[in-house]
Amino acid sequence: LLARPALDGWRVAQLAVHRVAIVGSGEPARRLMEWIEANAKDVVEVVGLFDDRRGSAPDRVALSHLVLGTTDDLIEYYRKAPIDKVIIALPHQAEERLLSILRRLKQLPVDIALAPDLVGFRVPALQGGELAGLKMTALSQRPLRASERFFKEIFDRGAAALLLLVLSPLLLAAALAVKLTSHGPIFFRQERHGLGNRIFHVLKFRSMRADLQDVTGARQTERNDARVTPVGNFLRRTSLDELPQLINVLRGDMSLVGPRPLPVQMRVEDRLNYEIVAEYAHRHRVKPGITGWAQVKGHRGAVDTAEGLQSRVAYDLYYIENWSLWLDLKILFMTGAVCALGKNAF
């Protein structure tokens, strides 16, 4: 039962047509569309074209009817309809434009490639091409390959189910303590960014007074925060308030280990997170985790400064770039020691 979602996802990935988005709507995009139609229409589905400069010049290649928006619209499109690959079909000499687009799109957990220049369509690779023999330049790869995602998801679901079973008496005791000592619901739900910047609702045991909760997350918890209840203070110090996120793992919203999902409207030094760290959204290329590399490296709890946020994001990106099942196990063991110390948890 636990393995079935991952197995189903594996089978679908092997059999399904690859959904591709194309950035650009000029001559390179037209030639790419023609190539796909002639060589790969049975295995590739072009979901649409996205171009930041649509409407700024005459449509000389008759592709405007396929343009669904800008690259920002492409990021929003992924939240509703996942895609497998993004191909940038723009002139190679537009270096700054290409780099700007790549920086924005790297937050998506997809492969990103650069289509060949115009002569590349006339002199294709003889074999081993990226797309039906068409050689392309890989710009960014999804952090975890299909087999790695499969094993990580099996591990996450199995371990989460086992932990929920073993810890059920503790979960019940915590739920009763929350309910009997303060007015309000047992669980606290808050919007967080998940895989590919999608929004999901994280679950926690409620640790604050119901009438003083900040559901947007704009105001972070402070030391000796008057909003926190006595029971909530204990739950937060021991991180027991995070245990309901095991349900998020079973739902597929989260992993046991990954970058911690931060509130959507969280502010540091009165600025939104992405205004401080340009690569902030890149941490959403994998599922968020209950614990992570940043947490076991001293970044547990609130973020007080811009430097602290930059350091936390740096640890998150290191984890993404160096993922292994062994690293996940190491972080889980280290998390136990960090929680026992209770440092920076309030």
Side-chain angles (χ1 to χ4, degrees):
L1 291 175
L2 293 171
R4 179 169 292 178
L7 287 169
D8 290 344
W10 174 276
R11 294 191 186 101
V12 169
Q14 300 304 310
L15 299 175
V17 171
H18 290 281
R19 291 167 53 81
V20 172
I22 296 175
V23 175
S25 59
E27 184 63 20
R30 185 187 67 79
R31 295 202 183 188
L32 178 59
M33 291 286 292
E34 289 178 351
W35 183 276
I36 292 173
E37 180 65 24
N39 300 276
K41 64 179 181 180
D42 294 333
V43 294
V44 174
E45 175 192 354
V46 177
V47 301
L49 275 59
F50 298 84
D51 195 337
D52 293 332
R53 298 184 177 181
R54 61 177 182 145
S56 61
D59 180 20
R60 297 188 176 93
V61 293
L63 292 179
S64 61
H65 65 289
L66 298 176
V67 177
L68 301 184
T70 64
T71 50
D72 289 334
D73 294 319
L74 171 55
I75 294 171
E76 188 64 28
Y77 181 93
Y78 180 87
R79 292 185 181 183
K80 303 170 184 176
I83 54 180
D84 302 301
K85 193 182 192 77
V86 173
I87 302 176
I88 301 178
L90 295 173
H92 290 197
Q93 66 268 24
E95 182 178 344
E96 289 303 319
R97 185 183 175 195
L98 289 172
L99 290 174
S100 175
I101 291 172
L102 179 60
R103 280 192 293 268
R104 292 203 302 276
L105 294 182
K106 278 191 71 173
Q107 64 187 272
L108 300 179
V110 300
D111 293 334
I112 303 175
L114 178 64
D117 54 13
L118 296 183
V119 71
F121 288 98
R122 301 178 64 181
V123 188
L126 295 178
Q127 59 182 359
E130 283 271 353
L131 189 66
L134 183 63
K135 185 177 180 180
M136 292 186 287
T137 303
L139 300 180
S140 177
Q141 290 186 328
R142 187 166 182 165
L144 275 64
R145 299 291 89 193
S147 58
E148 294 171 334
R149 296 196 302 272
F150 172 76
F151 285 114
K152 182 172 173 64
E153 186 162 344
I154 289 290
F155 173 74
D156 283 338
R157 291 180 182 274
L162 180 61
L163 286 170
L164 281 172
L165 181 63
V166 172
L167 298 176
S168 56
L170 181 60
L171 291 166
L172 179 60
L176 287 173
V178 171
K179 190 64 177 176
L180 297 177
T181 58
S182 63
H183 175 74
I186 293 174
F187 294 116
F188 172 66
R189 294 173 173 83
Q190 189 177 61
E191 287 188 346
R192 303 285 176 100
H193 279 127
L195 180 67
N197 252 2
R198 291 197 190 101
I199 302 296
F200 75 100
H201 288 87
V202 71
L203 289 174
K204 303 176 73 171
F205 282 126
R206 181 175 56 82
S207 59
M208 294 186 178
R209 288 174 48 185
D211 58 328
L212 296 178
Q213 292 181 117
D214 179 14
V215 295
T216 67
R219 177 187 172 188
Q220 295 188 69
T221 310
E222 304 168 353
R223 194 176 296 278
N224 301 318
D225 199 315
R227 298 174 297 169
V228 179
T229 66
V231 168
N233 184 56
F234 173 77
L235 293 176
R236 296 177 73 92
R237 191 171 65 252
T238 57
S239 290
L240 293 177
D241 64 320
E242 309 283 358
L243 289 180
Q245 287 162 44
L246 292 170
I247 299 173
N248 284 117
V249 175
L250 286 182
R251 287 178 174 175
D253 297 325
M254 296 179 64
S255 291
L256 290 178
V257 180
R260 281 292 299 159
L262 301 177
V264 174
Q265 297 298 323
M266 174 179 154
R267 291 179 176 271
V268 177
E269 296 181 353
D270 203 30
R271 288 185 291 168
L272 293 169
N273 292 346
Y274 65 85
E275 295 174 341
I276 297 174
V277 184
E279 299 82 12
Y280 177 76
H282 295 182
R283 63 201 297 277
H284 303 143
R285 299 177 69 208
V286 298
K287 286 184 181 181
I290 297 178
T291 184
W293 187 236
Q295 283 62 52
V296 300
K297 286 295 184 178
H299 289 282
R300 181 185 177 209
V303 185
D304 301 317
T305 64
E307 291 76 14
L309 179 64
Q310 291 166 348
S311 179
R312 177 177 289 207
V313 172
Y315 278 117
D316 289 336
L317 297 182
Y318 173 88
Y319 167 80
I320 293 172
E321 294 165 2
N322 296 274
W323 178 87
S324 70
L325 196 56
W326 164 246
L327 181 58
D328 274 6
L329 291 172
K330 179 180 178 180
I331 291 172
L332 288 172
F333 282 116
M334 293 175 68
T335 297
V338 170
C339 291
L341 293 175
K343 185 179 180 181
N344 293 333
F346 48 83

